[in-house]
Every structure is written in structure tokens, then in C-alpha cells.
Amino acid sequence: MRHGKKRLGDILQESGLITEAQLTESLDRQKRTKERLGKVLVGMGLVNESQILQALSRQLGIPIVDLSNQPIDPGAARMIPESVARKHTVIPLKREGNTLTIAMADPMDVFAINDVEIATRCIVNPVAATETQILNAIGRAYAISGIAPPPVTPSAPPSTQTRGAQEEAVISTATMPMPDVEGGEEGEQAPAVRLVNQIITQALKEGASDIHIEPEEENVRIRLRVDGVLHALMTVPKNIQAPLVSRIKVMARMNIAERRIPQDGAFELAVDGQRVDFRAAALPTIHGEQVTLRLLSKGSTIPTLQDLGLQGDTLKRYEKMIHQPYGIILVCGPTGSGKTTTLVSSLNAVNSADKKIITIEDPVEYQLPGCMHVQINPKAGLTFANSLRSVVRHDPDIIMVGEIRDAETAEISIHASLTGHLVISTIHTNDAASALTRLLDMGIEPYLVASSVMGTLSQRLIRVLCPHCKKPTSLDAEIREALTSALGEGFNLPAHIYVREGCPRCKYSGYRGRTGLFEVLTVSESIRKLVFGRASSNAVGEVAIKEGMTTMREDGLTKVAMGVTTVEEVLRVTRIEE
């Protein structure tokens, strides 16, 4: 495909993005730096990568691709050397017959197109992508074909006494030998080592919470969960599957010979000086074992309750609860909604030299100074229930139970609270009111629930607008009506709210980071009577709202009005529950 002699600078000037004087200045700078014009313009702050792509697409009809969600065919990528890809900032995406689709930061670079056509003997079909995304894609695509391993090194063990137990888990991924696996010749092992290093490094760079390695019929798909949303990282050939999975299983101290049953494991690494815990899970599927890694950064600071997103009356209600001397507080929400972080932040808020705090967790994710942490080990018989029985004999003031999973743990927690302890735990329910009825469903007597539970907190995580590219928009009638209905006539609505745009810093998603939506239910005398009568969660929730509880949707719309997030994000998280 050719586009005549029209140049990038002409297109940007015709689009009104730069002036003639600015173009002249940028061309002069380009002669000195020898950089691409687009990079020069971005460096001068005249345009951003997104604006360049949009202008090219409008003027030349070139499609734009989002490489963060675009699978890359490794076979196509390897049709050109990595040096050529980096020289011209291009990455082949797929081959169809004699046509090769390549993503280019400058789709009008005829020299780059000619070089690729000569190297591949294919007709080039250019599409546009940002330089940032292309460089990231080059790093991913060539990870399994000879690049040097990124700086992943073993973290120092806490003491020489524990080194023997941890040595296998913390040994460097750059030096640990691969086991002899199916097709595990040495030539296949090294690419798997490099690939694992690359995946982990990229996941940390993007702030991912999880890595998903998913075998399919003809290849292996690798995805990252960033800010609660999965997106594609890369697709690798099927023949790398066995050594890739075995590599991770060895690191996590799993049985590499066992592929028929689910397995769990863990390991610790230091990447660029950052200590990171990994929780690994392997699951047999019809196309091979799926592996999921949860990333837990050990260097993370403990956020305050305000940092989590608690605000206003909701924050006051919750702070009043956690400063009570005894009773139970339940934090609820689905897996991955930040419940454990809320528990730890709560403990950090009340931690002092005159209190003894003991936690029972699976696993221990944060370590608080002055607190005793117990990690359960069901295989050895150390469960939440029997750990809790022992903990109460150690004279604690506050007990944190990672999760109430069964009636036995619930009953022991209740009796601990009735004997003068503050117990804080999590339970899986959809909203704050359902936590009370869930205990009843477990078989706990209504009088015990009513007399022990002080309150419940329910939460979800929502994505936060990128501060660098969010843009204001006026309130239309529908949004104004929704905000007024949820927040009340007395709420001072803003002149505008914000919507997402997309820029290189947020990888064109429009969002960067997450915050919480919360609702806090205080168990009042009216609610105790409903619990005694085994009322439904809907009935409990209605009374709580009448007594002033702010729902998660109302909390979300307040954050919309504050410019923190978008209406669509609040609806995505609260639609089912509200």
C-alpha cells in the first residue's frame, strides 16, 4: 500500500494540530536529532501519539490497532529480525497468503515498508499503532526467540535458618535449570526461561494483579489482569506450552509429573529490586494445563481507609465500628474486590502499643508491625477454625480471620466476640445486608447473629479516570436526573463530569488505577429485630437505607460527580446488585 508523497507534517498541519511555524521548528530539530518526526513532535509537547494516529487514520484511511488487546502471531513476527523491527518501529501482526500486516508508528515510511517487503518477500499492509505499544509488542514478540533475560534475581531469604526451606522457591529464574519435560530438549528450555522472565517483568511494569496462561487448541494465550480487566499480552506457539508450564511449576514447587489434578504453589522473586510474592495455580483443561499467577508486591505500603476510597458518612460509620472494644465486623464482596486490603488497613488504623492483634490468614499478604500473623495450613490440619480456637487463648484484643468459610468458623468467631474480643473477617456475599442472612443460612442462631455483629461493609473496585487525559463533558438530562435521583436534591451537582479519552500513560484505556465503592450497614435495634425474625436481605437492606446507609451505587455516583470515575464504570460494577 502506498500513499503518495504526502508527509506526516503536512497531514498534521492540515488537521489543525500544528502550525506552519511549529512544523518548521520540528523539522529543524529532526535534522539535528535524526529522530522520526512524530517522536520529535511528541517530545516538543505539540501533539500526543493518539492525535497523530487519529490524523493519519482520517486523512489516509489507515486503520488503528490497539496492540494491548491485539494478538501477535509469533511466526509472522519472526519473519523480520528484531533489529529491523526496532530500527523502523514496526511489528508484523499476521500473514494471510502473500500479504503481511504490520503495525507501524509511521505508516507512510516507505523505506520501512520496502525493507520489510525485501526481508519477507510479502506485500505489506500497514496499520497504525503508537510507538509505545509497538516497542512493548516487540519486547513481547521476540521474548521467545533469543533476547537476553530481564533482570529477575532471587530475593534474599530472611535468615540462614530458613534458607533451606525457601531455596527452591527463590532461586533465580535466569539460572534455574529446566527439568526434563515432554519435548524438553535444552534448545526448548532456554526460550521458556526467557519467556517466563519476560512475562513477569511485563506484568509488573503494567501493574498487573494476575497472569493467565491459557492453552488453546493451536497456541497458548497469555493475558494480564490490570485494574480488574483482562487484556491480551501475547500468543505463543503450542510447542512452548509444556516447557513454559513446567518452568512455572518448578518455580512454585508443584509436581511437574502430575497433570491430571489441580495444584497450588508459591514462589518469591526480586525483580528490579522489588520483592514480589507469586501464588500459582494449575488446572487441567482439554488443551493442557492452565496456569494462573497472582502477584503480591511485598514492598507495598498499607493504604489508609481514605486511600481505599472510604469517604463521608460511610467512613465515619466504619471508623466508629473498628474502634469498638468487642463484636464482629464483616467485610463482604467477591474475590478480587480488595477485602483483605480493607481488613489490613482497618487493623493498621487501630494498631497501637496497648493492643494485641492476631491475624489468621491464607496466605499472609501484609505484615503489620507489632501484630502476630498465623498462616493456615489445611494439609497439616491447621484450619481457620482450630487456629481460632488456639488464638483466643493467647489473650488478643483484636482478631482478624481471613475468611469465614463455614459454620464452625462462624460460630467460634461469634463466641470470641461475645467474650470481649473485636473480630474482623470477610464473607462472600453481594451486599452488606446479605452478610447477616448468610450467617443464618450457615445455621447460626438468630440471637447470636443479632447480639454479636456490629455491622457489615460491602465493597467493589472500580477503575479511576486517567488524570492525564480525562476530559470534561456537560451533564445531559439523563445523567443529571440519575445523579439527582441517587444523591438527592440537596447534592450540589457539578457543572460537568469527566469521560475517558486515552493516552500513552494509561495505554489508551482512559483509566489508571482503581478505588473502592463501599456501603456500610450498622446493625441498629430495628435491624436486630429483623434478624431475630429471619427477615430477607432485601428487607434488611431497605431498613438500612431508611436509616441513612449510602449504597455502593450512590457512592459510585458521588465519585462520578467528583471526577474520579465514569458513569459507565459505576454501572458496570453495580448493575447486578442494585
Side-chain angles (χ1 to χ4, degrees):
M1 183 185 295
R2 297 292 184 270
H3 300 288
K5 295 184 178 181
K6 184 173 285 191
R7 299 173 300 175
L8 174 62
D10 298 329
I11 289 176
L12 296 178
Q13 187 180 344
E14 289 174 11
S15 299
L17 294 172
I18 60 174
T19 65
E20 183 177 356
Q22 289 170 333
L23 175 58
T24 301
E25 182 185 355
S26 63
L27 289 171
D28 290 339
R29 183 172 299 190
Q30 182 193 26
K31 291 177 183 177
R32 297 194 303 271
T33 63
K34 307 300 182 184
E35 294 178 320
R36 291 187 307 101
L37 180 60
K39 189 170 184 178
V40 171
L41 290 166
V42 172
M44 293 173 65
L46 299 177
V47 293
N48 58 42
E49 291 181 300
S50 178
Q51 289 173 317
I52 292 175
L53 291 188
Q54 295 293 340
L56 289 173
S57 179
R58 284 194 303 269
Q59 293 272 352
L60 306 176
I62 299 175
I64 298 173
V65 296
D66 180 359
L67 295 185
S68 64
N69 296 308
Q70 172 77 34
I72 297 172
D73 180 0
R78 289 195 294 271
M79 291 180 69
I80 64 172
E82 182 181 358
S83 59
V84 173
R86 291 191 180 278
K87 175 185 176 182
H88 295 300
T89 318
V90 302
I91 181 72
L93 301 180
K94 62 181 179 179
R95 179 179 181 177
E96 296 173 323
N98 197 39
T99 299
L100 182 67
T101 299
I102 65 170
M104 306 180 66
D106 182 0
M108 297 182 300
D109 187 341
V110 294
F111 298 105
I113 293 174
N114 287 339
D115 280 357
V116 173
E117 289 183 340
I118 291 170
T120 63
R121 297 182 181 178
C122 290
I123 298 171
V124 164
N125 174 39
V127 295
T130 68
E131 179 176 359
T132 301
Q133 288 192 347
I134 291 174
L135 292 176
N136 285 337
I138 289 172
R140 298 196 303 266
Y142 292 95
I144 60 171
S145 58
I147 67 167
V152 182
T153 58
S155 60
S159 68
T160 55
Q161 286 82 4
T162 59
R163 180 168 182 170
Q166 296 182 351
E167 189 173 32
E168 186 177 4
V170 301
I171 193 165
S172 168
T173 62
T175 59
M176 180 161 58
M178 280 292 295
D180 187 15
V181 296
E182 292 180 352
E185 297 296 329
E186 177 141 2
E188 291 180 336
Q189 295 169 7
V193 172
R194 289 193 295 269
L195 180 57
V196 171
N197 290 349
Q198 178 69 21
I199 292 169
I200 289 174
T201 302
Q202 190 67 26
L204 289 171
K205 181 179 178 181
E206 296 192 18
S209 60
D210 301 86
I211 299 169
H212 293 252
I213 298 171
E214 303 165 325
E216 297 178 326
E217 186 174 1
E218 297 181 355
N219 50 43
V220 181
R221 180 174 62 169
I222 299 169
R223 297 193 289 172
L224 302 179
R225 188 176 295 279
V226 180
D227 291 338
V229 178
L230 277 172
H231 68 82
L233 177 65
M234 66 178 79
T235 301
V236 300
K238 192 70 173 177
N239 63 2
I240 203 77
Q241 178 179 321
L244 171 62
V245 171
S246 293
R247 169 68 175 167
I248 294 174
K249 290 173 73 175
V250 167
M251 294 168 67
R253 293 181 291 181
M254 298 182 192
N255 182 354
I256 66 168
E258 179 57 75
R259 303 181 183 88
R260 300 166 299 174
I261 60 175
Q263 294 188 68
D264 296 313
F267 59 96
E268 179 184 300
L269 294 174
V271 184
D272 290 336
Q274 179 184 3
R275 291 177 64 199
V276 184
D277 272 342
F278 294 82
R279 301 287 182 261
L283 179 69
T285 74
I286 60 172
H287 297 305
E289 287 181 286
Q290 169 181 293
V291 177
T292 304
L293 296 174
R294 168 65 57 90
L295 284 63
L296 304 168
S297 177
K298 301 189 78 170
S300 300
T301 57
I302 298 171
T304 65
L305 295 173
Q306 292 92 330
D307 291 338
L308 298 180
L310 279 158
Q311 58 186 12
D313 185 60
T314 301
L315 175 62
K316 292 177 183 176
R317 284 170 171 247
Y318 188 66
E319 286 183 324
K320 184 177 180 180
M321 284 184 203
I322 62 176
H323 284 91
Q324 296 300 314
Y326 59 86
I328 291 183
I329 302 169
L330 296 175
V331 175
C332 43
T335 302
S337 60
K339 299 187 298 297
T340 300
T341 303
T342 298
L343 293 187
V344 175
S345 296
S346 303
L347 293 182
N348 200 41
V350 298
N351 190 13
S352 61
D354 62 344
K355 289 186 175 68
K356 180 165 184 175
I357 300 174
I358 303 180
T359 75
I360 307 168
E361 303 171 71
D362 180 27
V364 176
E365 295 185 18
Y366 297 88
Q367 295 187 34
L368 285 167
C371 297
M372 303 294 105
H373 298 277
V374 177
Q375 182 161 321
I376 71 165
N377 186 353
K379 292 181 180 178
L382 188 64
T383 64
F384 279 116
N386 56 30
S387 297
L388 190 52
R389 285 194 184 93
S390 298
V391 161
V392 294
R393 294 194 286 270
H394 288 265
D395 189 31
D397 295 291
I398 302 172
I399 303 170
M400 182 188 110
V401 182
E403 183 182 348
I404 292 179
R405 298 176 178 173
D406 51 49
E408 184 181 16
T409 306
E411 191 168 348
I412 299 169
S413 299
I414 285 174
H415 285 293
S417 72
L418 293 175
T419 54
H421 304 91
L422 177 64
V423 179
I424 180 170
S425 186
T426 71
I427 193 167
H428 283 285
T429 61
N430 286 333
D431 53 38
S434 298
L436 299 171
T437 55
R438 174 73 178 126
L439 292 176
L440 298 178
D441 293 339
M442 285 182 174
I444 307 300
E445 291 296 329
Y447 75 92
L448 288 175
V449 176
S451 58
S452 62
V453 180
M454 289 189 298
T456 63
L457 176 148
S458 184
Q459 67 181 77
R460 297 291 187 277
L461 291 177
I462 57 166
R463 292 177 292 175
V464 172
L465 279 164
C466 174
H468 303 286
C469 64
K470 67 179 184 180
K471 66 176 184 179
T473 184
S474 58
L475 289 173
D476 60 32
E478 185 178 356
I479 293 177
R480 181 176 294 277
E481 183 181 352
L483 291 174
T484 302
S485 175
L487 305 179
E489 294 288 348
F491 189 89
N492 187 20
L493 291 180
H496 56 259
I497 59 175
Y498 287 87
V499 294
R500 59 177 174 150
E501 177 75 2
C503 70
R505 299 194 193 189
C506 62
K507 298 188 181 299
Y508 299 94
S509 68
Y511 297 105
R512 191 175 184 186
R514 289 190 290 178
T515 190
L517 298 186
F518 300 91
E519 62 184 27
V520 173
L521 182 152
T522 302
V523 178
S524 64
E525 193 59 38
S526 301
I527 291 176
R528 285 193 180 92
K529 290 179 181 178
L530 291 175
V531 173
F532 271 119
R534 294 183 178 272
S536 68
S537 60
N538 287 338
V540 173
E542 288 174 4
V543 171
I545 291 171
K546 288 179 182 177
E547 294 180 347
M549 181 182 79
T550 300
T551 67
M552 281 186 286
R553 173 167 287 187
E554 290 169 346
D555 187 32
L557 292 176
T558 301
K559 290 179 167 74
V560 169
M562 294 168 61
V564 173
T565 190
T566 62
V567 173
E568 62 181 331
E569 185 68 2
V570 173
L571 295 179
R572 179 182 71 86
V573 171
T574 63
R575 183 180 293 120
I576 296 174
E577 290 76 35
E578 298 290 331

